Amino acid sequence: MTNPLLTDWTTPHGLPPFDMISDDDFAPAVDVALDEARSAIAAIAENPDAPTFANTIEAMELAEVTLGKVLGVFYGVAGADSNPAREALQRDFGPKLSAFGSEITENKALFARIEDLWTRRADLDLSDEQSRVLMLTRRGFVRQGALLVGDDAVRLRDVKSRLSVLGTQFTQNLLADERSWFMPLAEADLEGLPDFVIATARAAGSEKDAGGPVVTLSRSLIVPFLQFSPMRDLRKRAYDAWVSRGENGGETDNRGIAAETLALREERAKLLGYETFADYKLETEMAGTPDAVRDLLMQVWTPAKAAAEADAKVLERMLHADGFDGPLEAWDWRYYSEKRRQAEHDLDEAALKPYLQLDRMIEAQFACANRLFGLEFAPLEGPVYHPDVRLWEVTRDGEHVAVFIGDYFARGSKRSGAWCMAMQSQHRLGGEVRPHVVNVCNFAKPEDGQPALLSYDDARTLFHEFGHALHQMLSDVTYESISGTSVARDFVELPSQLYEHWLEVPEVLSEFATHAETGEAMPADMLQRMLDVATYDMGFQTVEYVSSALVDLAFHDGPAPRDPMQKQAEVLEGIGMPHAIRMRHATPHFAHVFAGDGYSSGYYSYMWSEVMDADAFAAFEEIGDPFDPALAKKLEDTVLSSGGSVDAKELYKQFRGRLPGVDALLKGRGLDAA
């Protein structure tokens, strides 16, 4: 029988034929695709003709087309709809793909051709984009060990292979802990919970076949439970489970994995000639050095900590007024902060949520993209990997631009968090290829027939991930290796965080924030109060984030700690972490850092990008029109369409004329006074 992963897909816009693909198809398809890629790479390396950009670099760009096609499908479903078979395949594919990558970078004949082109680059009459691709290709080879020989080369290959195994194990352990824990709630335990939390708990209990409502470790359920439950003992129990993911002992404990990962990363950096892994990782980022990262984080940490400590005093007085002695604890913060918000700002999230319907917020993100970039979105029928998944065709002036895929609801088979990925990336080499872009979220799924309701933070997440999607959809480059979000890690969050600002535009909410039952627009005074408290509790949020980023940096900027948990404690003590706030991501569930190398030494990048996004949106504010067509066109032409074809600093300067300072960020977070 023909493997559907290896055929030409006749589905709408070449979408993967999920209705024909079984888990049994993935392994043989990967084997065939790897063999095809190996043959293609060998043909390039052994080509008797003199190296040219076309027969070497462009040929390499096309060498893994089938492999990319198969893996785009597999990793798309493995993260969003996992099962034991897919988890086993992930464990198997990691070492295989790592070994294949090492084969390429260790291929001396192939690297010799790249080096030959590099030395003759001034005489090759390359376009700017081709020059950039050549530089990035050579740099990638060098950073992957192409200059190493003998035992060092062999050891680096082993290190990379082991790291791929550890990253998969870390992710699967975390998913197992999140999937297995839930806390049953008696009817009396529902006291004080808004209807939307009760409905979510009942739906979660139904999914778990628990015979009643439950609290799970899904952020869309546990956070509102911590906000609204007056039962301190239940809040503590739920919070303790949430923050102990990955450190419960047994087979799913991630502490040993974290220690081994850090040690191997340090070894990898030293093999490549760097003093620390942070030096290695940050070399290609906008920040450049660990000192630059630390300087940014500490500029923000000091006012954030001051604001959080001032807030903690107010919340602790509220705790004492409720008859509880002792200090404010981490499982108290959200509850008393919500009560304070209601008291001081007359803004009740339970009253707010009916105005933030998921479907209306999706309409809002589409409408903003239409006004800014002329994009239009129409529902599309086609194969999907899960019944919850929705499809849209994206067009502009009648021309096909992309397929957008939305997967919005939490489920036990989906890892936590929210993310964007391209199952197919835009490029023009070998023919025009348009992207298939996926947004994955973990919003609470409503009961049948009920609309899905979001918190304001959920709505921001929706816009954030769609900003990443726009970066993919508007990509306009020739080479896939620099397409879409293939940019510096501390630049990749700029489009996503910038797009969040359009949710805050009053005219957007006035049109799309409509009540789920009455259809009426959000009252003007409620809308204004919601926007006015956008920076409420920002000390807490910033302390949560910056402490995580500082721990990540400390892990990698120096000798690898034998005990990462001790190192974490030392860092937090050194910066004076407030008692009632924890890191947003403690080490055993810090998937950004330990599920792979993506954000290792790079968790700071959200804040680096926020410095830019605050400054970039200020450009629209200075004009006085958040939908100014000329400025939107400039944003697309510089930041959104260029991918990695130009250095990130240059792209930003092309858009704004200069690089930004931290002042706009502090003002945007309401921390400038602190």
Side-chain angles (χ1 to χ4, degrees):
M1 182 179 293
T2 303
N3 191 318
L5 287 162
L6 300 174
T7 62
D8 291 330
W9 298 337
T10 58
T11 49
H13 304 291
L15 284 165
F18 290 110
D19 52 339
M20 300 173 61
I21 297 169
S22 75
D23 289 340
D24 292 337
D25 294 321
F26 286 117
V30 167
D31 287 341
V32 169
L34 279 171
D35 288 342
E36 178 184 303
R38 283 192 175 96
S39 296
I41 293 296
I44 299 167
E46 297 164 9
N47 189 342
D49 296 336
T52 66
F53 189 85
N55 71 20
T56 302
I57 304 300
E58 290 188 342
M60 289 172 61
E61 289 273 335
L62 296 172
E64 300 175 30
V65 169
T66 302
L67 184 61
K69 174 181 172 181
V70 173
L71 293 178
V73 176
F74 174 73
Y75 283 108
V77 300
D81 193 26
S82 186
N83 60 34
R86 292 169 188 170
E87 291 175 5
L89 288 169
Q90 282 182 288
R91 294 191 293 270
D92 182 46
F93 290 166
K96 278 187 178 181
L97 297 173
S98 177
F100 173 64
S102 294
E103 287 175 28
I104 295 175
T105 53
E106 293 172 13
N107 188 317
K108 299 304 180 185
L110 181 63
F111 184 62
R113 296 179 71 85
I114 297 168
E115 197 75 339
D116 177 81
L117 293 171
W118 179 249
T119 59
R120 296 188 291 112
R121 61 191 181 278
D123 303 321
L124 297 179
D125 194 27
L126 301 177
S127 68
D128 290 343
E129 185 176 338
Q130 289 173 328
S131 296
R132 177 77 173 168
V133 170
L134 174 59
M135 184 279 290
L136 291 172
T137 301
R138 180 186 181 276
R139 187 176 74 180
F141 267 68
V142 172
R143 287 173 57 80
Q144 291 299 319
L147 297 178
L148 297 183
V149 295
D151 291 344
D152 286 348
V154 173
R155 179 56 186 161
L156 183 62
R157 182 193 314 149
D158 292 342
V159 166
K160 290 190 288 186
S161 178
R162 179 60 179 162
L163 283 169
S164 72
V165 171
L166 293 173
T168 299
Q169 288 180 343
F170 189 97
T171 302
Q172 294 185 356
N173 288 347
L174 182 55
L175 178 60
D177 276 6
E178 291 172 345
R179 191 165 44 201
S180 63
W181 188 91
F182 62 89
M183 182 175 70
L185 298 175
E187 290 300 311
D189 298 334
L190 302 178
E191 177 190 341
L193 297 179
D195 290 344
F196 78 87
V197 181
I198 295 173
T200 303
R202 293 194 190 282
S206 178
E207 183 192 11
K208 297 291 186 184
D209 197 23
V214 302
V215 174
T216 69
L217 298 182
S218 169
R219 191 176 188 92
S220 61
L221 177 50
I222 194 167
V223 168
F225 180 79
L226 293 170
Q227 280 180 291
F228 293 105
S229 175
M231 300 187 180
R232 197 182 190 209
D233 58 332
L234 295 183
R235 292 202 310 268
K236 181 180 187 304
R237 183 178 166 196
Y239 185 84
D240 286 345
W242 192 33
V243 298
S244 65
R245 291 167 293 158
E247 56 175 317
N248 292 307
E251 294 183 355
T252 64
D253 197 295
N254 276 334
R255 286 171 288 189
I257 291 175
E260 186 179 356
T261 297
L262 294 173
L264 289 173
R265 285 178 180 163
E266 180 189 14
E267 184 179 1
R268 177 181 182 180
K270 290 186 179 300
L271 283 168
L272 293 169
Y274 296 86
E275 185 175 348
T276 70
F277 184 81
D279 291 319
Y280 163 73
K281 190 67 184 294
L282 295 173
E283 179 186 49
T284 60
E285 308 300 335
M286 289 185 73
T289 67
D291 286 345
V293 172
R294 190 175 291 104
D295 179 61
L296 168 69
L297 293 174
M298 292 309 298
Q299 285 186 66
V300 180
W301 172 259
T302 300
K305 179 186 173 186
E309 289 177 333
D311 289 339
K313 292 178 181 178
V314 177
L315 302 184
E316 189 166 88
R317 287 196 294 269
M318 296 171 68
L319 172 75
H320 294 164
D322 276 353
F324 295 106
D325 296 327
L328 183 77
E329 299 291 353
W331 50 89
D332 297 319
W333 191 293
R334 287 175 173 83
Y335 176 70
Y336 286 103
S337 181
E338 178 64 24
K339 290 183 70 173
R340 181 187 180 193
R341 182 172 72 160
Q342 292 183 30
E344 295 184 2
H345 300 282
D346 191 24
L347 192 65
D348 180 356
E349 185 169 317
L352 184 66
K353 273 195 127 176
Y355 291 98
L356 299 175
Q357 301 175 66
L358 172 61
D359 285 349
R360 293 293 280 155
M361 292 299 101
I362 291 173
E363 290 180 45
Q365 69 180 13
F366 289 169
C368 291
N370 176 260
R371 292 183 64 180
L372 288 164
F373 310 115
L375 299 177
E376 297 183 345
F377 300 81
L380 178 67
E381 292 294 326
V384 293
Y385 59 83
H386 189 277
D388 287 344
V389 172
R390 301 161 68 178
L391 304 175
W392 290 269
E393 182 187 7
V394 188
T395 60
R396 180 158 57 183
D397 298 327
E399 297 292 324
H400 177 73
V401 172
V403 173
F404 177 64
I405 304 166
D407 182 0
Y408 297 113
F409 297 127
R411 54 180 173 266
S413 62
K414 183 189 290 186
R415 65 179 171 87
S416 61
W419 64 93
C420 175
M421 66 165 292
M423 286 191 177
Q424 177 174 290
S425 296
Q426 179 274 329
H427 61 93
R428 288 192 294 273
L429 186 64
E432 184 71 34
V433 175
R434 299 309 308 171
H436 301 158
V437 188
V438 190
N439 273 180
V440 184
C441 299
N442 270 281
F443 304 138
K445 187 175 182 178
E447 296 178 311
D448 289 344
Q450 298 299 311
L453 305 180
L454 306 182
S455 68
Y456 191 62
D457 284 345
D458 288 338
R460 288 176 67 94
T461 296
L462 186 79
F463 269 64
H464 178 102
E465 297 306 333
F466 192 70
H468 283 308
L470 287 172
H471 202 180
Q472 296 278 13
M473 291 188 281
L474 294 174
S475 178
D476 185 22
V477 298
T478 301
Y479 302 101
E480 185 174 4
S481 63
I482 54 169
S483 176
T485 57
S486 299
V487 298
R489 179 64 62 179
D490 48 11
F491 189 74
V492 77
E493 297 297 336
L494 169 59
S496 55
Q497 293 178 183
L498 176 58
Y499 203 67
E500 292 179 34
H501 288 277
W502 275 276
L503 178 62
E504 302 168 354
V505 174
E507 64 187 271
V508 173
L509 289 168
S510 296
E511 180 177 357
F512 294 99
T514 56
H515 198 279
E517 295 180 3
T518 67
E520 295 179 356
M522 182 183 292
D525 62 330
M526 177 184 283
L527 191 155
Q528 190 58 53
R529 291 198 307 274
M530 183 176 73
L531 294 176
D532 287 345
V533 300
T535 60
Y536 175 73
D537 215 17
M538 195 55 72
F540 169 82
Q541 295 178 42
T542 308
V543 163
E544 264 196 325
Y545 167 79
V546 175
S547 59
S548 297
L550 286 167
V551 168
D552 166 44
L553 184 64
F555 278 160
H556 298 98
D557 186 25
R562 291 185 179 181
D563 183 350
M565 300 304 291
Q566 180 181 342
K567 182 68 173 179
Q568 172 185 296
E570 291 171 356
V571 173
L572 297 180
E573 182 180 2
I575 60 176
M577 185 74 169
H579 172 77
I581 306 179
R582 306 277 179 86
M583 294 168 59
R584 182 171 299 176
H585 305 290
T587 298
H589 55 262
F590 206 163
H592 281 80
V593 171
F594 292 105
D597 275 356
Y599 282 88
S600 56
S601 295
Y603 192 60
Y604 76 92
S605 58
Y606 290 94
M607 186 144 287
W608 191 274
S609 294
E610 189 176 342
V611 170
M612 291 184 288
D613 83 62
D615 180 69
F617 193 71
F620 288 90
E621 293 176 320
E622 290 162 9
I623 289 176
D625 181 1
F627 295 100
D628 181 80
L631 193 56
K633 181 67 165 61
K634 187 177 183 181
L635 177 65
E636 178 180 347
D637 290 345
T638 55
V639 173
L640 294 175
S641 69
S642 300
S645 63
V646 179
D647 179 77
K649 287 183 179 179
E650 291 305 312
L651 285 178
Y652 191 82
K653 286 193 285 188
Q654 287 175 20
F655 173 66
R656 198 66 167 106
R658 53 164 174 72
L659 291 175
V662 75
D663 293 348
L665 178 147
L666 293 176
K667 181 180 179 181
R669 286 189 169 236
L671 299 174
D672 46 341

